[in-house]
Amino acid sequence: MKLESEQDSMLNGEHGRIMAKAMETVVKYGDAFGAKKLVPIKSGHLAGTFGAGPFGAYMKILQQIAEEGVKVRVPTTVNPRPGYDINFINRRIVFTKQETLEKLLSAIGVTPNYSCVCYEKANVPSFGDRLAWAESSAVQFANSVLGARTNRNSILMDVCCSLTGFAPEFGYLLDEHRRAQMLVRLNIKKMDAPALGYLLGKKVVDKVPLIEHYPFSRIELKNMGGSMAASGGVALFHVEGLTPEANDMKSVFDSPPKVTLTVTQDDLDSLRVRKHHMADMVVFGCPQMTCEEALAIAQNFAGKKVRIPTWFCLVPDELAEFKKHELYGKTLEAGIAIYDFCPTAALTLRIGKKHILTSSGKMFYYLSGTDYGTEEDCLRACGVIP
Ligand code: F3S
């Protein structure tokens, strides 16, 4: 790989031991994927926010960085907290190092946004910006909906890129890997974006799909992308006439598509659990909800009471916004618990819960034994709509 003089001086230790190690890691990463050069990045987003035993080595490295006074060179945000203080087991047994981890992140200059939906306010990329983000759902949104460019980086690779301010140029940073590889046709009557994302992730795996035109809302794109990036390795999708690189089919296909996939209403419906009345808990908010999303769902709860425990999980900033609305109080009165952490992490131990129902394709994929339902199915399970 050919390095610029600043990159070379970092590698040679002129910016200190930590920076040399970080640069060596970034260069080796690039070499492994055939990158010819490193490019400057506009921002980073880190996925390592669990102060738990298995993250001991990660924390040790953060500690070394902090002790030497090294900080990230580009604005860098970070994923949600894991609900570390929600119950005795999470607080005293699982996430015992949470406070230490947060101090270390702050010491190296990371913005304490604690959200996977960083692209709404805390870290908003522009079209064409090159980034080095981790967190598959955020990567997906940045690439697909905003037209920024990032690979799916791992924990620690994300830190090394933020420290150096560079990422190796390969994969989704290059034009040729952003072209569509298959066409998705929709034969559906009622959109269920998280279910569509889940199915596409399974079928597309790691290709770039172009979905034929559908007027998805920004919230639908967020929830579809989060599901797609979990059930598959999809880091970029296009929607004809909607997402920024896909004005029409010709802009993303070099020649007429060779592979076409059709998703039907039956395919979407097949994901839904039939016995949603068996649920003993309902969770909304993975990826975390925005205020707009929370307000739309909260309307269904005003003046009612949920029949089973129900969680709303929002982006911290968006929760602050939600609190200003009358519906916030009504949501609490309905018996809903409102949080600003990652519900999937918080519920990993599923203490006392057998049938968690969620409208998140991502949570459905990651949290074993969880059932999937549309937003309406979830509202029915809560007992607030017939
Ligand atoms: Fe975000 Fe946690 Fe879901 S990081 S996408 S809320 S699994």
Side-chain angles (χ1 to χ4, degrees):
M1 185 188 303
K2 192 170 167 3
L3 297 183
E4 304 282 335
S5 65
E6 186 191 22
Q7 298 160 355
D8 213 30
S9 68
M10 282 182 184
L11 187 63
N12 290 329
E14 288 167 40
H15 297 248
R17 184 178 75 98
I18 294 287
M19 206 54 106
K21 199 72 198 162
M23 182 52 92
E24 184 190 340
T25 309
V26 172
V27 169
K28 283 187 175 163
Y29 176 40
D31 280 342
F33 285 93
K36 293 196 175 70
K37 62 176 179 174
L38 302 182
V39 291
I41 53 169
K42 282 277 171 64
S43 74
H45 179 79
L46 311 184
T49 48
F50 299 174
F55 289 81
Y58 169 62
M59 290 174 61
K60 218 168 169 177
I61 293 170
L62 290 183
Q63 190 163 353
Q64 288 173 16
I65 300 169
E67 277 170 5
E68 301 221 4
V70 178
K71 291 186 190 295
V72 291
R73 293 180 81 216
V74 291
T76 300
T77 46
V78 68
N79 250 7
R81 295 180 166 108
Y84 65 99
D85 52 359
I86 187 108
N87 57 41
F88 181 81
I89 294 185
N90 277 12
R91 187 170 57 246
R92 291 294 173 84
I93 299 173
V94 184
F95 300 110
T96 52
K97 302 274 185 254
Q98 190 64 28
E99 285 171 15
T100 311
L101 172 62
E102 292 188 15
K103 278 185 193 146
L104 290 172
L105 289 169
S106 152
I108 69 164
V110 172
T111 308
N113 66 307
Y114 289 108
S115 168
C116 50
V117 190
C118 60
Y119 43 80
E120 285 297 336
K121 278 192 192 122
N123 187 352
V124 186
S126 300
F127 183 84
D129 280 355
R130 287 170 299 195
L131 321 167
W133 287 16
E135 173 47 44
S136 63
S137 65
V139 164
Q140 171 79 271
F141 198 94
N143 275 326
S144 312
V145 183
L146 305 177
R149 297 181 170 216
T150 174
N151 285 312
R152 290 162 57 110
N153 296 286
S154 64
I155 290 179
L156 267 182
M157 199 56 73
D158 52 8
V159 173
C160 290
C161 290
S162 278
L163 289 177
T164 58
F166 294 103
E169 192 184 46
F170 69 89
Y172 298 101
L173 272 61
L174 294 168
D175 289 345
E176 61 262 39
H177 297 297
R178 301 180 68 86
R179 312 289 294 156
Q181 294 160 300
M182 61 165 63
L183 172 66
V184 178
R185 294 213 177 276
L186 302 175
N187 181 9
I188 56 176
K189 293 192 184 90
K190 194 167 183 193
M191 180 48 71
D192 180 359
L196 176 60
Y198 183 94
L199 292 170
L200 289 184
K202 288 271 184 192
K203 293 189 175 175
V204 170
V205 187
D206 60 353
K207 300 274 185 292
V208 179
L210 170 78
I211 303 169
E212 72 172 346
H213 182 75
Y214 182 87
F216 293 105
S217 67
R218 191 175 170 96
I219 293 168
E220 284 177 320
L221 290 168
K222 164 177 92 76
N223 294 333
M224 176 169 74
S227 305
M228 204 188 306
S231 65
V234 187
L236 167 65
F237 65 84
H238 302 290
V239 182
E240 181 189 8
L242 186 70
T243 54
E245 287 166 67
N247 282 341
D248 52 34
M249 230 185 257
K250 280 192 190 138
S251 0
V252 280
F253 280 114
D254 296 319
S255 53
K258 292 191 181 68
V259 185
T260 302
L261 183 71
T262 301
V263 179
T264 66
Q265 190 68 44
D266 284 349
D267 293 333
L268 295 186
D269 291 344
S270 68
L271 233 58
R272 296 164 60 189
V273 66
R274 291 182 193 286
K275 297 180 178 168
H276 52 73
H277 57 277
M278 300 279 286
D280 53 20
M281 181 175 192
V282 170
V283 179
F284 296 96
C286 167
Q288 292 163 299
M289 287 194 277
T290 59
C291 176
E292 181 192 348
E293 192 175 358
L295 286 170
I297 300 177
Q299 287 180 13
N300 298 285
F301 294 93
K304 299 175 186 159
K305 284 269 180 214
V306 290
R307 67 167 193 92
I308 50 177
T310 303
W311 283 12
F312 272 24
C313 290
L314 282 84
V315 175
D317 281 354
E318 300 281 331
L319 174 54
E321 193 57 38
F322 184 41
K323 284 182 178 173
K324 295 178 192 160
H325 291 263
E326 206 189 332
L327 267 177
Y328 172 74
K330 295 196 169 159
T331 310
L332 289 176
E333 281 164 25
I336 293 172
I338 306 176
Y339 299 114
D340 66 359
F341 52 63
C342 164
T344 306
L347 287 164
T348 298
L349 297 178
R350 303 167 62 88
I351 302 163
K353 296 284 175 270
K354 291 195 183 70
H355 299 285
I356 298 176
L357 181 67
T358 181
S359 55
S360 159
K362 179 163 180 171
M363 179 183 254
F364 174 55
Y365 182 77
Y366 279 129
L367 205 58
S368 64
T370 303
D371 292 323
Y372 178 80
T374 60
E375 207 172 286
E376 278 180 21
D377 294 335
C378 291
L379 293 170
R380 247 174 239 124
C382 292
V384 295
I385 62 168

